[in-house]
Amino acid sequence: MKKFINILQFLTRITIDKNISYERNMGSGLIYFPLVGAIIGLLMTIVGLILSKLINVQYSNIIIATLVVFTEVVLTGGLHIDGFGDTFDGMLSYRNKDEILRIMKDPRLGTNGLLAVIFLILFKVLAIFLLLGSKNIWPIFLMPILGRYVCVVLSYKTIPARSSGMGNMFIGKCDIGTLVATSSICGLVAMIVSLVFTANIMISIFTLASIPLLYVFAGIFEYLIYKKIDGLTGDVLGCGIELAELIFLIYIIIIIG
């Protein structure tokens, strides 16, 4: 339980025990990443459902979609979005490895990072707006789960690009048991949730197929990052989460037509 609380408080702004100390072996808590995603997804879904009952004006879905995305940002403290922006700042700088890592560590956000964050939020809001319009709110619950599943995949047999950094607690710390367990659990949850809410076996099967799709995405993303900086960083893990969430939303919009 202590390890789960550590992971929950590290990945979100949710505080259960202010006095709990971070364990050195945080990497062994990777198994809890999708569970933290489920908590985030549940809270986002509840917000979406409540707002859909309270807001009944023209363009209400775009307002609800914006507030749902805002809820995720508040819950995570913008942790992954910060990594997303820093990663794009560095990767699009066309510098050498050392310069890229320096840019990514710089607390200031550059033009590339700013534009990337703006488009990320716009695309997320638009995707959720389209899902709300089709009366499909269940992907909002699954989105954070599968985003953090990709973070687990990126932590399997990878190496840090820096000798030190917060991301080093997780990078390379995922073992085969954790990878198989999270893949199986996330696939099962995705299939059950989609089946319960749509009662459509084909949509359920296609939702299950998002697991191998995101696994492939993680491999391609990892390859592209390695070409630039010979390893991963905490910012890259956050970027992977954000990209995976967006890819999942777009994929679901495609399969539900």
Side-chain angles (χ1 to χ4, degrees):
M1 180 58 72
K2 181 180 178 181
K3 191 162 291 184
F4 168 68
I5 294 173
N6 261 318
I7 295 296
L8 177 66
Q9 294 184 164
F10 180 80
L11 293 178
T12 72
R13 293 288 189 182
I14 300 171
T15 301
I16 296 177
D17 185 352
K18 291 182 178 180
N19 298 318
I20 196 169
S21 58
Y22 281 116
E23 297 182 16
R24 291 184 178 182
N25 189 24
M26 287 275 279
S28 61
L30 280 162
I31 188 77
Y32 296 119
F33 271 48
L35 179 55
V36 172
I39 293 172
I40 296 171
L42 178 62
L43 293 174
M44 291 173 65
T45 304
I46 290 172
V47 168
L49 289 172
I50 292 174
L51 291 175
S52 66
K53 300 296 183 183
L54 296 177
I55 302 176
N56 187 22
V57 297
Q58 191 177 18
Y59 308 121
S60 59
N61 280 349
I62 195 67
I63 297 173
I64 295 169
T66 302
L67 292 175
V68 167
V69 173
F70 177 73
T71 299
E72 183 183 26
V73 174
V74 171
L75 287 172
T76 62
L79 176 66
H80 313 312
I81 288 181
D82 178 65
F84 179 86
D86 287 342
T87 300
F88 271 80
D89 259 344
M91 295 303 155
L92 297 181
S93 66
Y94 303 104
R95 307 289 180 86
N96 59 40
K97 174 186 173 179
D98 291 338
E99 281 296 304
I100 290 174
L101 290 174
R102 183 190 63 78
I103 290 170
M104 290 171 66
K105 197 172 183 179
D106 192 328
R108 295 169 297 181
L109 188 64
T111 303
N112 290 326
L114 177 61
L115 289 173
V117 169
I118 289 173
F119 280 110
L120 171 72
I121 293 174
L122 284 175
F123 286 144
K124 269 193 175 181
V125 169
L126 177 59
I128 293 175
F129 166 73
L130 293 173
L131 288 170
L132 292 173
S134 63
K135 307 298 181 183
N136 286 288
I137 199 168
W138 55 270
I140 296 173
F141 170 68
L142 292 177
M143 177 188 72
I145 298 176
L146 300 187
R148 280 141 196 85
Y149 163 68
V150 164
C151 190
V152 175
V153 177
L154 290 172
S155 300
Y156 178 65
K157 287 188 175 181
T158 48
I159 60 173
R162 293 193 184 98
S163 59
S164 63
M166 295 188 73
N168 292 11
M169 292 188 294
F170 306 108
I171 298 167
K173 302 301 191 297
C174 177
D175 56 39
I176 187 64
T178 299
L179 182 63
V180 171
T182 52
S183 298
S184 302
I185 293 170
C186 289
L188 185 62
V189 170
M191 193 170 187
I192 291 174
V193 169
S194 57
L195 184 59
V196 168
F197 281 90
T198 66
N200 187 316
I201 188 64
M202 289 307 298
I203 289 179
S204 181
I205 292 172
F206 277 118
T207 304
L208 173 62
S210 65
I211 299 298
L213 172 68
L214 291 173
Y215 191 94
V216 171
F217 155 71
I220 295 172
F221 181 63
E222 179 186 315
Y223 170 76
L224 294 174
I225 297 296
Y226 263 68
K227 285 184 66 177
K228 291 280 190 177
I229 56 175
D230 301 320
L232 305 184
T233 68
D235 285 333
V236 170
L237 295 182
C239 182
I241 289 174
E242 292 294 339
L243 286 174
E245 288 185 350
L246 184 58
I247 289 171
F248 173 71
L249 289 179
I250 294 171
Y251 173 74
I252 293 299
I253 289 170
I254 292 172
I255 67 171
I256 66 177

